[in-house]
Amino acid sequence: MDCFYFVPETVKPPTSRLRPHHNEQLEAQLALSCQSKEAAYRIRYEAYNSYGFVAQRENGIFSDAYDERSNCQTTLVFKHGVAVATIRIASYEPERSDTDYHCVQAMEIFEPEINSALNRIRFDGRSPRAVEIGKLARLPGYTRDLDVLFALFRTVGYLILDRDVDVVFNAVRAHHMPMYRRFGFQQLEAPRQYPGLTFQTGLMACFRTSYDQARNDLPFLRGINTNDAAYHGLIAGERVSIFGAAPAAVSAAPQPESSDRPSQMPDALRNCA
């Protein structure tokens, strides 16, 4: 399954501010190169380790086998040109010939519940498509930065549109569930211990029938569509201004925040082109 993916400090449900203050400062890009993937995994590690969710690691990297699967994509969010946050999206499409698409990490602890939810929305002629969002992490200095959080969710919104999915799953710690309910999710299962980490997560889902309401109610999702420049640039692997401006020029791949770089490439990155 996906590890619980939210690692900032406790976040109250945003009710007074649901749009970023400084759109022009926020960019997003798929982590496609070894260097950008390493930057994302370092952000994850710093975030998870700062709360004691993972033990100290000499290489400063937090990644797993799911990161190498073809159905998973990791993105980076930048503020003032600095990579400060990351999130991962994993596709579930049981009809695909590529078996990587036949499971997501959340199925490690919630497989019956996920299958039950999918069985409720079966269509004539095809099985439902789903994604799991996970591995949301912000550098410790940005844990209270709502602009960065909104940019992460808007980036996920574009990726969900690209996959045309019927349901979005995530695994959420109990004190973050009110925020996700505000975003259109519903709880499907009570929290259980997350394998290999120091917290419990419950299963939440947002179904296609709630998408339009979420786009109308949440300013940070408003206006997203598959015809705008941000969508096309993001899917093409460019770094884009995520809140609607024309894609920014593609800049150099992000450098990891830590200067304590390992002398050898971590195992999770050796197969990157």
Side-chain angles (χ1 to χ4, degrees):
M1 149 186 188
D2 187 16
C3 127
F4 168 60
Y5 63 94
F6 201 31
V7 286
E9 296 179 15
T10 300
V11 176
K12 296 179 181 179
T15 55
S16 59
R17 183 165 81 85
L18 290 175
R19 72 173 70 245
H21 284 155
H22 304 291
N23 291 359
E24 72 281 358
Q25 300 173 357
L26 300 165
E27 299 173 300
Q29 186 173 20
L30 295 175
L32 299 177
S33 68
C34 282
Q35 193 172 24
S36 59
K37 289 179 182 180
E38 183 178 346
Y41 303 157
R42 286 182 178 278
I43 292 170
R44 273 191 209 164
Y45 172 76
E46 289 191 43
Y48 278 64
N49 180 255
S50 70
Y51 289 97
F53 296 158
V54 295
Q56 295 284 342
R57 300 182 180 188
E58 290 186 5
N59 66 2
I61 294 287
F62 179 26
S63 63
D64 59 36
Y66 290 91
D67 288 315
E68 301 306 308
R69 291 177 177 243
S70 56
N71 66 323
C72 292
Q73 284 189 307
T74 294
T75 67
L76 286 161
V77 162
F78 303 81
K79 189 166 188 178
H80 299 300
V82 177
V84 298
T86 180
I87 198 165
R88 186 174 76 190
I89 186 169
S91 297
Y92 175 76
E93 298 182 36
E95 295 181 352
R96 291 278 291 262
S97 59
D98 184 345
T99 57
D100 280 357
Y101 285 79
H102 296 178
C103 71
V104 293
Q105 196 173 16
M107 287 180 166
E108 289 186 20
I109 54 176
F110 294 117
E111 184 170 10
E113 292 79 11
I114 289 174
N115 287 334
S116 176
L118 293 172
N119 286 335
R120 298 202 315 258
I121 56 172
R122 286 200 170 276
F123 302 97
D124 291 337
R126 73 168 177 88
S127 299
R129 295 183 294 266
V131 295
E132 179 193 9
I133 54 175
K135 293 299 188 293
L136 188 160
R138 292 178 285 178
L139 288 176
Y142 292 83
T143 57
R144 296 182 181 275
D145 191 324
L146 287 179
D147 288 353
V148 170
L149 186 65
F150 296 157
L152 285 167
F153 287 137
R154 187 173 180 88
T155 302
V156 167
Y158 278 119
L159 296 176
I160 289 169
L161 286 179
D162 183 61
R163 286 153 180 75
D164 189 25
V165 299
D166 306 297
V167 59
V168 181
F169 294 107
N170 61 13
V172 182
R173 287 161 60 201
H175 65 291
H176 292 136
M177 286 181 174
M179 180 181 70
Y180 285 96
R181 290 190 184 96
R182 177 72 176 86
F183 294 167
F185 285 78
Q186 58 184 273
Q187 183 178 340
L188 302 184
E189 187 61 32
R192 299 174 183 170
Q193 184 61 41
Y194 193 81
L197 293 166
T198 60
F199 50 69
Q200 294 186 336
T201 62
L203 181 66
M204 299 192 77
C206 182
F207 294 89
R208 186 187 288 270
T209 52
S210 298
Y211 292 176
D212 286 344
Q213 183 176 351
R215 285 197 292 265
N216 290 332
D217 291 350
L218 303 172
F220 59 81
L221 290 181
R222 199 162 292 157
I224 65 171
N225 65 78
T226 57
N227 296 316
D228 65 38
Y231 168 81
H232 287 290
L234 181 68
I235 300 306
E238 300 170 5
R239 189 186 298 188
V240 302
S241 180
I242 196 60
F243 283 96
V250 179
S251 54
Q255 296 293 326
E257 290 293 303
S258 172
S259 61
D260 187 20
R261 295 170 60 87
S263 59
Q264 294 183 338
M265 183 71 72
D267 290 343
L269 302 172
R270 291 176 192 235
N271 296 324
C272 295

